[in-house]
Amino acid sequence: MKFRALALLFAGLLSDPAMAAKKEDAGVEVKVQVVDLKGEPIPTSVVRHPSESDRHRVNSEDGTWKATALYMPDGSELRFTPGMDLELEVSAPGYKTQQVVYQVRKSRNVLQVALEVIEITEENVEEPIITFKQDKVREATEE
Amino acid sequence: MMRANFWTRSVVAGLVLMGTASAEDWTSWTGLFPAVPCSDGWLGCVVGGQSLGAGAATVAGIPAAANARLNWWDLQPTAALSPFVGLSAYSGPIGGVVAPPPAAEPPPAPAPAPAPPEEPVAQNDTPAPAPAPASIREPAPAPAPSGGSLRPAPAPVAAAPAPTPAPAGGSLRPAPAPAPSPVAAPTPAPAPVAVAPAPAPAGGSLRPSPAPAPASVAPAPAPTGASLRPTNNNVTPVSAAPPSDSCDDLVMLEPNALMGQLTKGQTSCLESRIATEPQQTTRDKVSRLLINNAYAKGDKGAWEQLVKRHLESIDRSDPDMCYNYALQLSRGGVGRAQGVVRWADYALENKAKWSGSTYKSRVFALMKIKAEAAMKLWKDAEEKYTADRSDEAEAASNKYRANAKEYAKEWLDYAKASGQDSSAALALCVSAAGNASYCGG
């Protein structure tokens, strides 16, 4: 036990400062899981930032998407940092698109988004009668 | 105590049952005998080969009111279903048909005719004969009575009895009409029997001819022994001829087609007519008969096939038909979604034939089902791409997504412009576009 604690302390002292700095610049990972109202993952859903043109598909197995940063159309990078409000649009075919705002934490950023199915009610549509299309009798014209 | 209770209950139950039984009489069944069973307002008619009258009809062995439009027991349409039929066509000869004489021929009763006003002879029991020609011909000389007057014998009939002798002072009277029974009281024919009015006898007054017979009885010739049997007061029912399998007259087939009652022969005839008819307009009419027949029968599968054939190979300019077909396809799965989009587009091409609220509701409905179909196609393509991450699957997914976005936007724009509910359209548009800015949200 003592040996382990000493070994860890030693490793921390010897770690590369550059790596530490890189870790801080990478951004915080945010994981988004898209499910339906029953909790089942929606494999066809996509996640995107409102300003972004690309659509990020989720994992077809578990319906998740994760990233540490997003890249805007103007080439800028939106890094996820703790404390920032991250706006995301989550959509899927046949489901109502959801816009979420998530405050990024230092760690364990897991966001579950439940999408609602678009219900289109079948209204009482009247079906027109198919006519027999009989010829109309012409009146005799005087020439 | 218990025995008394039992008897008391029995008596009470018996009284209740008696009361119930006596409450019903024939007036309880007036509904079963409608006064006007036919849709065209007549007392009797022939609909699709079935005669309807004022009596109770029998459907599947169970009496039912003749004017019931649907059978109570199985909700199937009856002959009185359609209120749009015209007068029943009469297929018999003009003037009616002479009823065939029976095997044992009783002496027929003569037509009731009033006595001549100037008849000098006292009335006897001999029924007033029809006016005979001036030259009276006695079929057989009867023995002269004691009064000395010559009285013609009645016309020879197999069972004609001998005439009664004329009273004293009796004068010559014209020969009677078809062998009347001299002693029988004149039997008034309930239905007037048509007798050709004979010329007035010489010296006699003109006797008014009997009332003309109804069409059901042929006008009998001058009394020459033709046996005319009086009919009863009711209209002689016309025996319904079996429906012919001819399909020459399309107008005549329309009522049956509206009720789904075209026979197999008629349907086959119409089908062959579609295949052989050179005129497109006639093929159109024939096809519409078949379509309406299938619809009225509730045969959705056949109706769909017929409409599809009509639209594919006859005519697709009828927006109502395209609309109906697209609507029917929209109730199916993703396999029919392409058809929904196609036929909805055809209907929208001819939407100018509609107007007013019909235009608004149908255009809205068409755009709605088109957007829904595009969404189904996109969803299906996405699922396929999820399973197979190929370039082709991705291209298909992107294509259907673009269609879904476009149709949903069209629907949204029209819903807003026409003042109709746009919430569903907006949801579809945002889902396909991925953001609300495209949809104007």
Side-chain angles (χ1 to χ4, degrees):
Chain A
M1 189 67 180
K2 277 186 183 178
F3 178 74
R4 276 186 195 171
L6 283 171
L8 281 171
L9 184 61
F10 187 68
L13 288 171
L14 288 179
S15 63
D16 189 353
M19 278 183 65
K22 196 175 178 183
K23 229 180 179 178
E24 281 179 10
D25 294 338
V28 178
E29 183 180 271
V30 173
K31 184 178 178 182
V32 179
Q33 186 185 27
V34 185
V35 297
D36 58 17
L37 292 179
K38 295 179 186 175
E40 297 292 324
I42 303 175
T44 55
S45 52
V46 295
V47 180
R48 63 182 281 274
H49 189 269
S51 305
E52 209 181 358
S53 58
D54 291 336
R55 298 160 72 237
H56 309 283
R57 295 179 188 276
V58 302
N59 185 298
S60 56
E61 292 293 329
D62 56 8
T64 58
W65 169 82
K66 55 188 175 184
T68 57
L70 292 173
Y71 298 93
M72 298 296 112
D74 58 0
S76 60
E77 184 186 8
L78 179 67
R79 204 172 296 152
F80 302 158
T81 54
M84 74 173 286
D85 289 329
L86 178 62
E87 284 184 47
L88 294 172
E89 278 184 356
V90 182
S91 60
Y95 292 86
K96 291 182 182 175
T97 300
Q98 273 229 22
Q99 286 192 332
V100 294
V101 178
Y102 175 73
Q103 190 172 56
V104 180
R105 297 184 292 191
K106 286 184 182 177
S107 63
R108 293 185 184 175
N109 292 293
V110 179
L111 170 63
Q112 191 179 68
V113 179
L115 297 184
E116 193 180 330
V117 174
I118 296 175
E119 295 282 354
I120 298 179
T121 55
E122 176 94 15
E123 294 167 1
N124 289 332
V125 182
E126 52 94 14
E127 297 180 7
I129 296 170
I130 306 297
T131 60
F132 290 109
K133 219 179 186 183
Q134 288 302 326
D135 297 328
K136 292 181 185 174
V137 177
R138 286 188 182 177
E139 293 179 357
T141 55
E142 294 181 2
E143 295 183 9
Chain B
M1 185 65 177
M2 282 185 64
R3 205 171 173 181
N5 281 341
F6 167 76
W7 283 112
T8 307
R9 280 190 231 129
S10 303
V11 166
V12 169
L15 287 172
V16 168
L17 287 172
M18 278 172 55
T20 308
S22 65
E24 284 196 354
D25 55 13
W26 282 111
T27 59
S28 305
W29 304 101
T30 53
L32 200 57
F33 305 96
V36 183
C38 296
S39 302
D40 54 14
W42 285 80
L43 184 63
C45 55
V46 176
V47 179
Q50 183 181 346
S51 298
L52 284 184
T58 304
V59 182
I62 302 171
N67 63 346
R69 296 176 68 191
L70 292 177
N71 179 15
W72 170 262
W73 305 104
D74 57 11
L75 297 180
Q76 292 300 311
T78 64
L81 173 71
S82 172
F84 301 111
V85 294
L87 290 178
S88 304
Y90 174 69
S91 57
I94 300 298
V97 178
V98 177
E105 198 176 73
E118 295 180 8
E119 184 65 45
V121 180
Q123 296 289 328
N124 59 6
D125 287 340
T126 307
S135 60
I136 298 164
R137 292 175 181 251
E138 296 87 36
S146 54
S149 63
L150 183 63
R151 196 156 159 276
V157 174
T164 53
S171 65
L172 190 67
R173 63 169 50 175
S181 168
V183 294
T187 307
V193 175
V195 177
S205 63
L206 183 65
R207 183 176 294 130
S209 57
S216 59
V217 180
T224 53
S227 58
L228 294 174
R229 300 181 66 238
T231 57
N232 54 19
N233 266 334
N234 299 332
V235 173
T236 306
V238 177
S239 59
S244 79
D245 290 342
S246 165
C247 59
D248 294 335
D249 191 345
L250 298 179
V251 177
M252 290 299 293
L253 294 176
E254 285 177 12
N256 284 353
L258 269 179
M259 293 192 292
Q261 291 184 357
L262 289 179
T263 62
K264 280 187 181 174
Q266 288 168 339
T267 307
S268 304
C269 178
L270 289 168
E271 288 285 353
S272 62
R273 212 171 154 185
I274 283 188
T276 56
E277 184 64 47
Q279 283 196 346
Q280 190 74 356
T281 50
T282 309
R283 289 174 66 208
D284 190 338
K285 293 173 193 171
V286 172
S287 177
R288 285 166 184 271
L289 274 171
L290 292 168
I291 287 170
N292 275 291
N293 184 59
Y295 186 83
K297 283 168 69 174
D299 191 348
K300 282 288 185 183
W303 177 85
E304 230 180 85
Q305 291 296 321
L306 290 167
V307 171
K308 184 180 178 184
R309 179 183 67 179
H310 186 102
L311 294 174
E312 295 277 12
S313 58
I314 297 177
D315 176 41
R316 58 182 66 159
S317 66
D318 186 349
D320 289 339
M321 199 177 291
C322 294
Y323 172 83
N324 267 351
Y325 189 50
L327 210 59
Q328 174 64 16
L329 291 177
S330 71
R331 295 180 181 127
V334 65
R336 297 170 150 227
Q338 294 273 20
V340 174
V341 175
R342 182 183 177 206
W343 295 110
D345 279 338
Y346 278 120
L348 288 169
E349 278 179 14
N350 295 296
K351 63 181 183 288
K353 292 186 183 177
W354 300 322
S355 62
S357 59
T358 303
Y359 179 95
K360 269 179 61 176
S361 62
R362 291 190 188 166
V363 171
F364 182 90
L366 284 167
M367 291 191 167
K368 173 186 160 197
I369 61 175
K370 210 173 137 187
E372 283 177 10
M375 181 64 69
K376 283 181 192 172
L377 288 168
W378 173 40
K379 190 175 177 183
D380 183 64
E382 276 287 332
E383 287 167 357
K384 284 177 180 167
Y385 177 60
T386 303
D388 170 28
R389 299 275 184 179
S390 65
D391 293 339
E392 292 81 13
E394 187 182 13
S397 171
N398 290 338
K399 181 186 106 177
Y400 287 122
R401 177 175 164 251
N403 288 343
K405 190 169 68 173
E406 179 189 339
Y407 300 155
K409 182 74 165 59
E410 280 178 6
W411 179 26
L412 176 64
D413 290 342
Y414 183 75
K416 284 181 180 176
S418 60
Q420 300 183 68
D421 182 24
S422 60
S423 56
L426 179 64
L428 268 182
C429 181
V430 171
S431 172
N435 62 81
S437 59
Y438 172 80
C439 305

